[in-house]
Amino acid sequence: MEHRPSDPLPLAAVVVTDTLGRVLLLRRPDGRWELPSGPVHPAEAPTAAAVRALAEVCGVTAGAVRPLGVFEDGCPDGAEGGAARWHVFTLAAHAPGALDRLVLRRHATHSWFFTDNLPGVSPAAVRFLRAHAPARPHLTRPQWLATTPRAWLCTAAVVTAPDGRLLMVKPRVREPDRRPDAGRWNFPGGVLDTHEDSPAGAARELREETGLDRPPGPLLAVVWQHPAPGADHPIVQFFHDFGTADPTAVRLGCPDGEITDWAWLRPDGELDAAAGPARGYAARRALAARAAGRTVTAAFPPGPFETSG
């Protein structure tokens, strides 16, 4: 296949399924999941590239594959230009367990997923797989419960200074963490306990991470975030209003040492640079909801069906 420098990088991928309808995904060392895939070499047909890539990346020999579709996405390794055209193929479904002993040369592990419970693959890959891979079959209740989609349920406290700056905290990083947002500024907050609702969780996290003991205010926003590399589940975060505080009058602290620093950051490019675009986006949605006296729902990356009420 001829490739001009201005064209998206051609890649070949294979959707390998089992007879339950699950899709094989491979996990990279950086935590990202992806289909078995590889580049299409010059003068190589995408079909041949798919068969070759399947053997190279996981040791599966395919006698024949059939075209499934094409979609465009970013390059998996951040190649120059950043865009790739994925030529996707499939082969006959295997029996469950038939391909559990794979030879992985570039990946840390593998697993099988139903398309309504995919881990941290890209949004473009999710859309393609949901459109082309097999639908989830009827399962017994124990099987259904064991494979029901999961999400991280998190809560956050929104506290602002009189000039509009947001109170943010810096969590301690105790072990090597390759996540893009590891060690960056975050909202006071965290994962909800099993028997805890979001207002109580936000108040607890604010108290533990800053020393501020305040009653929770209104729910400002509920933000859904696409699964991040290494997390495998989406995040659903509840943002509660804890009002305004004077930075010169409050004493911030964290007895257990989980928080190493505190800052009051402007909810604009300063926050995006310090905390990442997802948190900057969520902060602006929450503050807009406070100003309008409403609760909003949002998604990151932003989706087409965001609503407020």
Side-chain angles (χ1 to χ4, degrees):
M1 171 177 285
E2 182 181 357
H3 175 240
R4 296 175 296 183
S6 59
D7 293 338
L9 181 71
L11 299 173
V14 182
V15 175
V16 180
T17 61
D18 65 15
T19 52
L20 288 178
R22 299 179 301 176
V23 175
L24 172 67
L25 294 178
L26 311 179
R27 191 171 196 170
R28 297 154 45 112
D30 64 4
R32 298 179 186 273
W33 291 87
E34 63 186 3
L35 293 166
S37 61
V40 180
H41 294 163
E44 184 180 35
T47 304
V51 172
R52 174 182 53 78
L54 192 61
E56 289 179 353
V57 301
C58 58
V60 175
T61 301
V65 296
R66 65 178 187 276
L68 195 61
V70 177
F71 71 96
E72 296 201 3
D73 198 1
C75 288
D77 296 308
E80 184 178 354
R85 179 170 291 121
W86 295 73
H87 300 263
V88 187
F89 299 82
T90 188
L91 66 163
H94 290 71
L99 295 182
D100 278 353
R101 293 186 177 182
L102 300 180
V103 181
L104 302 179
R105 296 181 174 88
R106 301 198 299 265
H107 295 84
T109 188
H110 74 282
S111 193
W112 298 81
F113 299 91
F114 290 112
T115 56
D116 61 356
N117 194 17
L118 294 169
V121 296
S122 73
V126 171
R127 290 191 294 270
F128 184 89
L129 289 171
R130 293 297 299 271
H132 295 86
R136 175 190 283 264
H138 178 76
L139 302 173
T140 65
R141 182 169 177 78
Q143 289 175 321
W144 176 79
L145 288 173
T147 58
T148 298
R150 304 288 194 264
W152 298 99
L153 293 180
C154 301
T155 188
V158 177
V159 182
T160 55
D163 62 5
R165 290 175 297 156
L166 273 163
L167 174 60
M168 303 294 286
V169 301
K170 178 165 282 192
R172 180 182 300 278
V173 180
R174 295 186 177 275
E175 58 187 38
D177 194 335
R178 297 183 178 181
R179 292 177 301 165
D181 61 352
R184 304 185 84 172
W185 292 93
N186 204 345
F187 298 93
V191 178
L192 287 170
D193 291 347
T194 302
H195 300 285
E196 185 176 54
D197 61 20
S198 63
R204 173 184 56 78
E205 292 283 359
L206 180 65
R207 183 173 59 255
E208 292 175 352
E209 296 185 350
T210 70
L212 296 178
D213 193 356
R214 296 181 164 207
L219 177 66
L220 296 177
V222 180
V223 180
W224 179 96
Q225 186 175 339
H226 187 80
D232 297 347
H233 302 305
I235 293 173
V236 180
Q237 193 161 22
F238 301 87
F239 290 81
H240 288 272
D241 191 355
F242 282 80
T244 301
D246 182 354
T248 64
V250 296
R251 296 184 62 181
L252 304 175
C254 179
D256 66 6
E258 287 300 316
I259 301 301
T260 62
D261 204 358
W262 301 263
W264 300 83
L265 302 177
R266 294 188 303 273
D268 52 20
E270 180 181 49
L271 182 60
D272 286 48
R279 290 170 186 153
Y281 172 79
R284 289 185 287 275
R285 294 291 288 169
L287 293 175
R290 176 200 272 182
R294 294 182 169 184
T295 298
V296 302
T297 61
F300 190 86
F305 303 115
E306 293 183 9
T307 60
S308 62

